[in-house]
Amino acid sequence: MARRSVQFWRIEQLNGDELSRPFPARRVVEVLKKAQDSATDRHFTSVDGTVLLAQAVASSPHPVLLLDRVRDTNLPSVGDALGRRKPLPLAPGDHLLETTYFAFLKRNVIAVLTSGNGPRASRMGEYLGGMLGLEPALVPVVREDIEEILTRLEVSRFEFALPAERLSGKLMEGEWADVLESASRLMNEGTFRISLSVGRSGRAEDKQRIRDRIQQLIDLFRRAGSVEHFDYVVAEGKDSLTGDREVVDLLKERFVSHIEVDPDVFNDPQKSVAEAIAILNKQARDNEAFFARTLPDVKGPADSSLVPDIVAGGMTAVRDALAAAALADEAAAGGAGHELVRG
């Protein structure tokens, strides 16, 4: 058996605004299915060069999408029984697909069935933005009292550790990506540990500035979709309400289910989809009471008008077409649109 995790995220904002209505997930599934049936190119390239491809796989009882990271470079090798290496047997035009499954639940919760190599949850936000013009802001669903504790914590130390063989800048974003990528070049076995602390000396205002910076880095760390890959993640500080010292285990704060799966099933593209849908639907049923108790209710119907049909090239192609049309109109008008209006 192999171990996988189901992470739970919530869509808190859409296109920069607080989302108080249901996210139009069924409409997203509908337009993706329509694009699949018409063979519309659905590939999207992120700013860092990662190629993503989504597919609608279920609409009931919960909309389910899979998101593939498409790879055609730096591919792994195949080894025979004697360990002799040979290239992956890919036909011309084939790519390696690394998959994550997403189920859209009540209260704008997304259940994310992950593997070690599939795209992080934030990649779904990138894909929906690039292909459909949607910009969902995802926040992790956490245990019931962790936000309250962290809000009160005057942090003095943040520390994490992970096995050296897992070191990769792909686990994190921003400054943390640079740190982990650099560390991966320094060591390939043992344990990598890093600790940030305020220190004992210095002026009060300097210490507060360091605390604020550590808090920013903790927030960035918590929003990453790969915290479960770490062995140890803690924040320590003084509870501003009680004055007590608190140590918060950030690995245990997220609401993450760890499940055992049959690796043979997940190596079969058809069986893996059915198994993933079954796992995500069970997680939705098992945790519905927790979400109802800890998350705000969402009222009203979803606004399906927010979701356009997919076009090849996504929103970049749409913007380019609009810009070209505007230039054509401007040329036809003799450039009058740029004339100053004088009184």
Side-chain angles (χ1 to χ4, degrees), residues 179-199:
V179 170
L180 296 179
E181 192 61 39
S182 296
S184 71
R185 295 192 288 269
L186 293 174
M187 56 191 300
N188 54 25
E189 58 184 354
T191 298
F192 176 74
R193 183 182 298 268
I194 191 168
S195 180
L196 309 176
S197 64
V198 173

Side-chain angles (χ1 to χ4, degrees), residues 167-218:
L167 282 169
S168 170
K170 294 179 181 179
L171 290 175
M172 294 285 164
E173 297 176 352
E175 295 97 323
W176 286 125
D178 297 335
V179 170
L180 296 179
E181 192 61 39
S182 296
S184 71
R185 295 192 288 269
L186 293 174
M187 56 191 300
N188 54 25
E189 58 184 354
T191 298
F192 176 74
R193 183 182 298 268
I194 191 168
S195 180
L196 309 176
S197 64
V198 173
R200 297 181 180 276
S201 61
R203 299 180 303 169
E205 54 265 36
D206 293 335
K207 289 184 176 181
Q208 187 58 52
R209 186 166 59 250
I210 297 170
R211 284 193 188 94
D212 292 342
R213 179 56 179 152
I214 293 176
Q215 187 63 60
Q216 291 173 1
L217 292 170
I218 291 174

Side-chain angles (χ1 to χ4, degrees), residues 10-12 17-23 108 297-300:
R10 185 170 177 271
I11 305 176
E12 191 174 69
D17 296 325
E18 294 296 320
L19 185 60
S20 58
R21 296 169 66 176
F23 178 77
N108 290 330
D297 199 3
V298 178
K299 303 290 188 181

Side-chain angles (χ1 to χ4, degrees), residues 1-267:
M1 301 295 283
R3 195 186 197 208
R4 289 202 174 191
S5 66
V6 178
Q7 305 172 0
F8 296 95
W9 297 75
R10 185 170 177 271
I11 305 176
E12 191 174 69
Q13 294 184 341
L14 188 62
N15 302 331
D17 296 325
E18 294 296 320
L19 185 60
S20 58
R21 296 169 66 176
F23 178 77
R26 295 190 189 281
R27 169 64 180 165
V28 172
V29 166
E30 175 187 309
V31 299
L32 269 172
K33 184 66 168 61
K34 182 178 178 181
Q36 290 162 212
D37 292 344
S38 60
T40 300
D41 183 7
R42 307 183 312 283
H43 291 79
F44 170 71
T45 303
S46 300
V47 292
D48 64 358
T50 300
V51 179
L52 303 169
L53 177 64
Q55 180 177 334
V57 294
S59 59
S60 180
H62 303 287
V64 178
L65 308 178
L66 65 79
L67 185 66
D68 287 318
R69 180 165 59 212
V70 181
R71 286 178 54 192
D72 55 12
T73 59
N74 297 321
L75 298 178
S77 301
V78 175
D80 64 15
L82 297 178
R84 291 176 296 215
R85 297 162 63 85
K86 54 186 178 181
L88 278 175
L90 298 180
D94 284 353
H95 300 85
L96 187 66
L97 301 178
E98 298 170 327
T99 307
T100 301
Y101 299 87
F102 297 78
F104 294 80
L105 314 182
K106 297 177 182 177
R107 292 179 168 78
N108 290 330
V109 172
I110 302 179
V112 184
L113 177 60
T114 69
S115 66
N117 299 317
R120 300 186 301 271
S122 60
R123 293 293 194 183
M124 178 58 80
E126 290 181 42
Y127 187 85
L128 294 176
M131 294 303 293
L132 294 168
L134 303 175
E135 297 178 4
L138 305 182
V139 296
V141 175
V142 298
R143 294 174 187 274
E144 295 177 62
D145 60 349
I146 195 70
E147 291 291 351
E148 180 183 347
I149 293 173
L150 287 175
T151 298
R152 300 199 310 259
L153 194 69
E154 296 176 357
V155 64
S156 59
R157 180 176 68 94
F158 175 57
E159 187 171 314
F160 66 80
L162 77 166
E165 62 266 20
R166 294 187 203 159
L167 282 169
S168 170
K170 294 179 181 179
L171 290 175
M172 294 285 164
E173 297 176 352
E175 295 97 323
W176 286 125
D178 297 335
V179 170
L180 296 179
E181 192 61 39
S182 296
S184 71
R185 295 192 288 269
L186 293 174
M187 56 191 300
N188 54 25
E189 58 184 354
T191 298
F192 176 74
R193 183 182 298 268
I194 191 168
S195 180
L196 309 176
S197 64
V198 173
R200 297 181 180 276
S201 61
R203 299 180 303 169
E205 54 265 36
D206 293 335
K207 289 184 176 181
Q208 187 58 52
R209 186 166 59 250
I210 297 170
R211 284 193 188 94
D212 292 342
R213 179 56 179 152
I214 293 176
Q215 187 63 60
Q216 291 173 1
L217 292 170
I218 291 174
D219 292 342
L220 181 62
F221 197 101
R222 292 177 65 220
R223 286 180 177 269
S226 49
V227 175
E228 75 274 8
H229 290 283
F230 291 75
D231 283 352
Y232 176 82
V233 186
V234 299
E236 180 180 354
K238 183 177 73 172
D239 187 317
S240 61
L241 186 63
T242 66
D244 296 333
R245 302 297 296 179
E246 293 279 0
V247 177
V248 181
D249 187 334
L250 297 184
L251 280 181
K252 296 179 180 177
E253 57 126 335
R254 287 184 173 226
F255 193 59
V256 177
S257 295
H258 294 287
I259 56 175
E260 299 294 325
V261 300
D262 184 341
D264 291 334
V265 169
F266 273 88
N267 286 336

